[in-house]
Amino acid sequence: MDRLPGFRDFYPEPLPHPDVGSADARQYIFIKWREIARRYGFREYDGPPLESLELYTTKSGAEIVGQLYNFEDKGERDVALRPEMTPTLARMIAAHERAYKKPIKWFTIPQLFRYERPGKGRLREHFQLNADIIGETDPAAEAELIALLIDTLRSFGLTEADFVVRLSSRNAWHDYFVSHKGNPAQEYEFYQIIDKLEREDPQVNDRKLSALGFSLVEVTAFIQEGKPTTELQSILDNLSARGLDPFVKVDYGVIRGLAYYTGIVFEAFDRKGEFRAICGGGRYDNLVKLISGGKVDLAALGFGMGDVVLLELLKARGLLPKFDGGIDIFCLIEDEALRSDSLKLIHNLRQHGISVEYSLTKAKSDKQFKRAQELNAARTVRLEHGPDGELTAKLKDLKSREERTLTIDELINEVSRK
Amino acid sequence: MDRLPGFRDFYPEPLPHPDVGSADARQYIFIKWREIARRYGFREYDGPPLESLELYTTKSGAEIVGQLYNFEDKGERDVALRPEMTPTLARMIAAHERAYKKPIKWFTIPQLFRYERPGKGRLREHFQLNADIIGETDPAAEAELIALLIDTLRSFGLTEADFVVRLSSRNAWHDYFVSHKGNPAQEYEFYQIIDKLEREDPQVNDRKLSALGFSLVEVTAFIQEGKPTTELQSILDNLSARGLDPFVKVDYGVIRGLAYYTGIVFEAFDRKGEFRAICGGGRYDNLVKLISGGKVDLAALGFGMGDVVLLELLKARGLLPKFDGGIDIFCLIEDEALRSDSLKLIHNLRQHGISVEYSLTKAKSDKQFKRAQELNAARTVRLEHGPDGELTAKLKDLKSREERTLTIDELINEVSRK
């Protein structure tokens, strides 16, 4: 029996096969995500992996259903495995917004699902760090959120040479659209063309833009000039104060396809342009109102950073640590008469926070030692009877090969200290 | 729009409503689960939350489908949201068993799903710590696993006065069944009666047992005598060596309903008997072979500990810490001319691992201070120009109300130290 197509199994390292996921790398990423969010004062939340389909069609229209892992459940409810977290967040905020002082700074690490056409490397699930700020209209919120994004990537060892945040603004494009006398009914269509500009053939772009009364040359010039709006400038200044300006640039080539963005938008890319966007986000001031049926109206902004592209990038830059699962101590039990005392010692060490392994059953001395090495134990310990019959411990460092004889108390002290 | 029935939303504390889940309590439990598993040398793995339905019907028969959150997906596959982790584990082990030295000690913290009839407090999802040992037939493996179980519960502050592990054995019951001349075809039926003995009316029990040629009086006497088998005695001795004997007792009243157990079984209960089982498990030596279609034959044992009963028990015993989301420092920005310098300081502090909050926008001094208190900040810091124009920091402890003036370097040193 196989796992379903597009899903990953996560094994402990070393991985048994290149096609499986690494549970250690996943946990490494989650720990960093949580740690940096905590420093920034973001609080964790989560919702169900399954939601009513309506939550997503309300936000994105019926077209979205084609991409969803949706079904009718046994209670005849139309439901979907969550494809994104923002609708759940909006629902949760709307349900209890009065209990929280604004701005609300929340994060979560959901697994998300899409019914993508299967294909090489095309997954139907991934994990994502989602961080959002609710209830703040000032672009200082964008700066705070982008600083979190940058510091999160930096926490993995990525530098300004590795990635850049391309910062743009729906408002800047709206002003451009209005000042160039675009037809208001075609504004979203215009954004869609801008969104595809870099990937599309110039002639196609030109034809599409002309049809709406725009010129590719002028649009390209506007992007290339990249003159920051007042709002964008305030974000740049804010990030400069933090010393983060080398990680950001204004780039109107980014507009993000999702209809629901209302202001600043941004995406982070690797500088070499080898990978898809590492993360993306922006302001969505209307969504909470929409999801709550008009009951709660709160400004909001957020970003999502997936685990798949991040992992590829960290691998390519050699920034993933070696996950050897190394344990602190392997307890050698060479004399079965000492098994009870060894178990007592093992339990004592574990109570002190030390990770300890041993052979569950009687085994030859060299086999036990080999096992200690396989498990990447830092040290071995072995009980012996001293000259006066008292128990002593032989502690051996497997790197330096140095071995010392200690009393049990000395041993606990010694290994607990580190 | 509401969440689906039987699912939980997890909010940061303080909770906005008694009916929602606590993201902080959940994370607190997960951290302990991971930490104690690590000390015991268990490695983390995970599989997909969605699996082919066949994985569960192969293990448990077609009857299981009535309890599953199953559906036909867009690719016309019969799939189910995982109701338990063991079949996924068996599948993963079978796929790559040769890459791992035995015994394999693995754990995971999956979210599991069942399509239960909705009702008060009846959930359709919960989280579970699953720990398993694969490839070891000796009962020393049971002792190791039960020690992990006990120490996991102890890590939350639960003591021998709070819980007990009831230890039993399918082998003991098998011997009883054979020596009392049971009909081999009715053996599983007999186990089912034993499993329900405590909850069922004695007359019903007597009638059912008589029908199979057994006597309730004799069965009850066998349970009350509780004479450990050699195998059980070796587990008790092993746990005694670790000092864990006060947490275990032999109790043949436990047999566990699941058909797939093959040897030792156990369940942990609160001593007062107020809650359902805190966790349960046992040996299932045939499952890997069954799931792998006979390709891989490995002994196995494991347990599952859910988050719902554990959380209820910790609440009832007053053992949950207060989750106030407290941040380390709130930076007061009383002079907007110092905002840039304050942002620089905030970033610097965060780089040192300190959690820092501040007012994103201009706000009155008393409002900022109030916010600092709401966020349970341990201290406030406020930049000022000193007598020679240099920047100094006023660091105030919000508990002691003590305030000191420091240079920026002194400040960083001071707060990084703790």
Side-chain angles (χ1 to χ4, degrees):
Chain A
M1 256 166 281
D2 289 329
R3 64 177 182 275
L4 293 171
F7 287 83
R8 290 173 290 175
D9 286 330
F10 295 90
Y11 284 81
E13 304 240 8
L15 298 183
H17 192 277
D19 278 359
V20 305
S22 162
D24 295 314
R26 188 181 79 165
Q27 184 60 6
Y28 171 73
I29 288 175
F30 289 1
I31 286 171
K32 294 273 186 199
W33 280 352
R34 282 205 169 86
E35 165 57 17
I36 311 302
R38 184 194 64 78
R39 292 184 192 175
Y40 272 77
F42 282 71
R43 301 289 302 277
E44 187 160 3
Y45 74 99
D46 197 5
L50 201 66
E51 293 268 15
S52 68
L53 184 62
E54 190 192 2
L55 189 64
Y56 306 111
T57 52
T58 299
K59 181 191 157 203
S60 309
E63 316 86 71
I64 193 72
V65 177
Q67 299 168 39
L68 299 185
Y69 221 121
N70 63 305
F71 61 97
E72 187 183 278
D73 83 0
K74 289 178 172 181
E76 297 182 354
R77 291 174 208 89
D78 283 319
V79 298
L81 288 165
R82 60 185 172 198
E84 54 165 331
M85 202 59 192
T86 322
T88 297
L89 173 65
R91 177 179 66 65
M92 286 177 63
I93 290 284
H96 294 293
E97 68 102 1
R98 266 178 244 164
Y100 296 96
K101 293 283 192 330
K102 318 297 174 299
I104 297 168
K105 294 165 72 179
W106 281 5
F107 80 97
T108 185
I109 305 180
Q111 190 171 19
L112 305 176
F113 306 86
R114 297 225 171 214
Y115 200 87
E116 296 265 8
R117 292 162 300 279
K120 191 174 150 40
R122 192 173 282 163
L123 292 172
R124 288 182 170 163
E125 53 76 23
H126 76 296
F127 291 90
Q128 207 178 64
L129 168 66
N130 271 245
D132 294 82
I133 301 178
I134 315 281
E136 180 55 65
T137 54
D138 196 281
E142 269 88 345
E144 175 77 352
L145 194 72
I146 292 166
L148 167 65
L149 184 172
I150 293 168
D151 276 347
T152 301
L153 292 176
R154 290 176 72 205
S155 74
F156 293 103
L158 293 164
T159 69
E160 60 195 85
D162 296 310
F163 76 94
V164 65
V165 180
R166 298 166 64 188
L167 194 56
S168 181
S169 167
R170 285 275 168 107
N171 296 330
W173 276 114
H174 175 73
D175 292 347
Y176 182 93
F177 189 81
V178 170
S179 68
H180 287 73
K181 308 208 185 338
N183 174 355
Q186 297 173 324
E187 187 165 350
Y188 185 61
E189 196 181 334
F190 175 74
Y191 291 172
Q192 296 287 74
I193 301 167
I194 302 301
D195 186 46
K196 294 192 180 63
L197 220 52
E198 288 174 18
R199 283 159 289 166
E200 192 58 274
D201 186 89
Q203 286 183 305
V204 176
N205 286 329
D206 195 27
R207 199 179 59 237
K208 283 187 186 170
L209 285 169
S210 300
L212 303 190
F214 291 84
S215 131
L216 178 61
V217 174
E218 282 180 30
V219 159
T220 307
F222 174 73
I223 293 173
Q224 271 167 2
E225 192 192 358
K227 193 175 163 234
T229 59
T230 313
E231 200 180 33
L232 283 172
Q233 192 57 53
S234 78
I235 297 171
L236 293 174
D237 292 346
N238 183 308
L239 290 169
S240 288
R242 306 178 199 228
L244 296 178
D245 39 318
F247 295 92
V248 211
K249 67 169 182 188
V250 170
D251 186 341
Y252 290 136
V254 169
I255 192 164
R256 294 184 65 71
L258 291 167
Y260 78 125
Y261 287 115
T262 55
I264 303 293
V265 289
F266 50 88
E267 289 181 347
F269 285 90
D270 67 293
R271 292 261 187 197
K272 293 189 186 167
E274 294 173 54
F275 302 96
R276 285 169 293 144
I278 307 166
C279 84
R283 182 172 281 278
Y284 55 95
D285 284 345
N286 301 332
L287 187 69
V288 177
K289 191 174 175 184
L290 180 70
I291 296 286
S292 69
K295 279 191 214 111
V296 181
D297 190 4
L298 281 170
L301 61 155
F303 72 78
M305 179 187 296
D307 68 331
V308 178
V309 174
L310 178 60
L311 203 54
E312 284 171 5
L313 177 60
L314 295 178
K315 265 186 209 159
R317 300 291 174 270
L319 289 172
L320 274 184
K322 197 173 175 304
F323 304 106
D324 64 6
I327 53 164
D328 298 324
I329 292 184
F330 190 99
C331 182
L332 303 162
I333 307 175
E334 298 180 352
D335 177 358
E336 283 300 310
L338 286 172
R339 180 165 288 271
S340 272
D341 289 312
S342 298
L343 284 170
K344 186 179 171 189
L345 173 66
I346 288 162
H347 194 252
N348 196 344
L349 290 166
R350 286 172 173 171
Q351 291 289 104
H352 283 81
I354 300 152
S355 62
V356 189
E357 268 290 12
Y358 65 101
S359 177
L360 289 172
T361 53
K362 190 177 172 179
K364 280 191 186 145
S365 194
D366 57 343
K367 213 181 143 192
Q368 289 187 52
F369 193 76
K370 206 177 148 219
R371 178 75 172 164
Q373 290 178 309
E374 284 163 6
L375 293 172
N376 295 298
R379 321 191 211 187
T380 59
V381 70
R382 184 163 45 92
L383 287 182
E384 276 184 0
H385 284 293
D388 304 324
E390 82 287 6
L391 276 179
T392 59
K394 294 255 184 202
L395 181 67
K396 184 172 189 171
D397 186 303
L398 290 199
K399 274 222 180 92
S400 69
R401 301 278 156 165
E402 183 204 351
E403 188 172 61
R404 283 179 305 150
T405 306
L406 303 165
T407 68
I408 304 295
D409 286 346
E410 284 168 350
L411 172 72
I412 301 287
N413 270 331
E414 166 82 20
V415 296
S416 300
R417 237 187 304 144
K418 54 168 292 186
Chain B
M1 255 166 284
D2 289 330
R3 64 177 182 273
L4 293 170
F7 287 84
R8 289 172 293 175
D9 287 330
F10 295 91
Y11 284 82
E13 304 241 10
L15 298 184
H17 191 276
D19 278 0
V20 304
S22 163
D24 295 313
R26 187 181 78 166
Q27 183 60 7
Y28 171 73
I29 288 174
F30 288 2
I31 286 172
K32 294 274 185 197
W33 280 352
R34 283 204 168 86
E35 166 57 16
I36 310 302
R38 183 194 64 76
R39 293 183 192 174
Y40 271 77
F42 283 72
R43 302 287 304 275
E44 188 162 3
Y45 74 98
D46 197 7
L50 202 67
E51 293 269 13
S52 68
L53 184 63
E54 191 192 1
L55 190 63
Y56 306 110
T57 53
T58 299
K59 181 192 156 203
S60 309
E63 318 85 74
I64 193 72
V65 177
Q67 299 167 39
L68 299 186
Y69 221 121
N70 64 305
F71 60 97
E72 187 183 278
D73 83 358
K74 289 178 171 181
E76 297 180 354
R77 291 173 208 90
D78 284 317
V79 298
L81 287 165
R82 60 184 172 198
E84 54 164 331
M85 201 61 193
T86 322
T88 298
L89 173 64
R91 177 180 67 66
M92 287 176 62
I93 290 283
H96 295 293
E97 69 101 2
R98 265 177 245 162
Y100 297 95
K101 293 282 192 329
K102 316 300 173 298
I104 298 169
K105 294 165 72 179
W106 281 5
F107 80 97
T108 185
I109 306 180
Q111 191 172 18
L112 305 176
F113 307 86
R114 295 228 171 209
Y115 198 87
E116 295 266 8
R117 292 162 301 281
K120 192 175 151 36
R122 195 172 281 161
L123 292 172
R124 287 181 171 163
E125 53 77 22
H126 76 295
F127 292 89
Q128 206 178 66
L129 168 67
N130 271 246
D132 294 82
I133 300 179
I134 315 281
E136 179 55 65
T137 54
D138 195 281
E142 270 88 345
E144 173 79 350
L145 195 70
I146 292 167
L148 167 65
L149 185 174
I150 293 168
D151 275 347
T152 301
L153 291 176
R154 289 176 73 206
S155 75
F156 294 104
L158 294 164
T159 69
E160 61 196 81
D162 295 310
F163 75 94
V164 64
V165 179
R166 296 166 65 188
L167 193 57
S168 181
S169 166
R170 285 275 170 107
N171 296 331
W173 277 113
H174 175 73
D175 292 346
Y176 182 92
F177 189 82
V178 170
S179 67
H180 287 73
K181 309 213 180 338
N183 174 355
Q186 297 172 325
E187 186 165 353
Y188 184 61
E189 195 182 335
F190 175 74
Y191 292 173
Q192 297 288 72
I193 300 167
I194 302 299
D195 186 46
K196 292 190 182 66
L197 220 50
E198 289 174 17
R199 283 160 289 166
E200 191 61 272
D201 185 87
Q203 286 184 302
V204 176
N205 287 329
D206 194 28
R207 201 179 57 235
K208 283 188 187 169
L209 284 170
S210 300
L212 302 190
F214 291 85
S215 131
L216 178 61
V217 174
E218 281 180 31
V219 159
T220 307
F222 176 73
I223 293 173
Q224 272 167 359
E225 190 192 359
K227 193 175 163 234
T229 59
T230 314
E231 199 180 34
L232 283 172
Q233 191 57 53
S234 78
I235 297 170
L236 292 174
D237 292 345
N238 184 309
L239 291 170
S240 288
R242 306 177 200 230
L244 295 179
D245 39 320
F247 295 91
V248 210
K249 66 168 183 189
V250 169
D251 185 342
Y252 290 137
V254 168
I255 193 164
R256 294 186 64 74
L258 292 167
Y260 77 124
Y261 287 115
T262 55
I264 302 292
V265 289
F266 50 88
E267 290 182 348
F269 285 90
D270 68 294
R271 291 262 187 195
K272 293 190 188 168
E274 296 173 52
F275 302 96
R276 285 170 292 145
I278 307 166
C279 84
R283 182 171 282 279
Y284 54 95
D285 283 346
N286 301 331
L287 187 69
V288 177
K289 190 172 176 186
L290 180 70
I291 295 286
S292 70
K295 280 191 213 108
V296 181
D297 190 3
L298 280 170
L301 61 155
F303 71 79
M305 180 188 296
D307 68 331
V308 177
V309 173
L310 178 60
L311 203 54
E312 283 171 5
L313 177 61
L314 295 179
K315 265 187 209 158
R317 300 290 174 268
L319 289 171
L320 274 184
K322 199 177 173 302
F323 304 106
D324 64 5
I327 54 163
D328 298 325
I329 291 184
F330 190 99
C331 181
L332 303 162
I333 308 175
E334 298 180 353
D335 175 358
E336 283 299 311
L338 287 172
R339 180 165 287 270
S340 272
D341 288 312
S342 298
L343 284 171
K344 187 179 170 188
L345 173 65
I346 289 163
H347 195 252
N348 196 344
L349 290 167
R350 286 172 171 170
Q351 291 290 105
H352 283 81
I354 300 153
S355 62
V356 190
E357 268 290 10
Y358 65 101
S359 178
L360 290 171
T361 53
K362 190 178 172 179
K364 282 192 185 142
S365 194
D366 57 342
K367 213 182 143 190
Q368 287 187 52
F369 192 76
K370 206 178 144 218
R371 178 76 172 163
Q373 290 178 309
E374 283 163 7
L375 293 171
N376 295 301
R379 320 193 213 187
T380 59
V381 70
R382 183 164 45 91
L383 287 183
E384 278 184 358
H385 283 294
D388 305 324
E390 83 287 6
L391 276 180
T392 61
K394 294 255 185 202
L395 181 67
K396 184 172 187 169
D397 187 301
L398 290 200
K399 272 222 182 92
S400 69
R401 301 277 157 166
E402 184 204 349
E403 188 173 62
R404 283 179 305 150
T405 306
L406 304 165
T407 68
I408 304 294
D409 285 347
E410 284 168 351
L411 172 71
I412 301 286
N413 271 332
E414 167 81 18
V415 295
S416 301
R417 236 187 304 146
K418 50 168 304 183

